[in-house]
Amino acid sequence: MRILGLDLGKRRTGVAISDETGLVATPLQTIKAAGRTSIITALKVIIKEYAVSEIVIGMPLNLDGSVGRKAEEVTKFSRALEKATGLKVLHWDERLSTVAVTRVL
């Protein structure tokens, strides 16, 4: 079972893929943002090539946990991706993730 991880950005979408156990993810590539349809088309190729069974996308909630404009965009993208691929898309709260990684490093 491979999991596809996504970080939806304004200019690029970061893509990571897990190993077959679903435990370790490594960066795979970035997709230049040229509209929702082109990103989903590129992702469908990756999903088929790696036999992806689930998708996780970073959810950029506001620090107080509320849903802002960017989180609404991610939700809309997620719905379109689920419809296009038939796969479940899970949201991962990415608040303070950069701070956590910086502390580890």
Side-chain angles (χ1 to χ4, degrees):
M1 163 174 121
R2 288 192 184 249
I3 301 169
L4 189 69
L6 302 176
D7 184 11
L8 192 63
K10 190 173 187 176
R11 295 188 179 129
R12 287 176 291 284
T13 296
V15 181
I17 191 77
S18 76
D19 62 357
E20 282 125 3
T21 66
L23 296 175
V24 179
T26 55
L28 184 63
Q29 69 181 68
T30 58
I31 300 170
K32 187 175 180 181
R36 183 186 301 172
T37 303
S38 66
I39 295 169
I40 290 174
T41 299
L43 290 173
K44 287 170 74 174
V45 171
I46 295 168
I47 289 166
K48 183 176 181 181
E49 180 180 346
Y50 288 91
V52 170
S53 60
E54 195 169 71
I55 302 168
V56 176
I57 188 167
M59 178 57 76
L61 298 172
N62 294 324
L63 284 178
D64 65 0
S66 63
V67 176
R69 183 184 58 78
K70 185 61 180 167
E72 288 174 359
E73 291 174 16
V74 169
T75 299
K76 288 178 185 176
F77 179 84
S78 297
R79 287 183 189 141
L81 187 57
E82 281 182 333
K83 185 176 180 181
T85 63
L87 295 175
K88 184 175 183 179
V89 177
L90 303 171
H91 294 143
W92 187 267
D93 182 355
E94 60 181 28
R95 287 178 291 168
L96 302 177
S97 60
T98 302
V99 173
V101 169
T102 303
R103 285 183 183 158
V104 170
L105 294 174

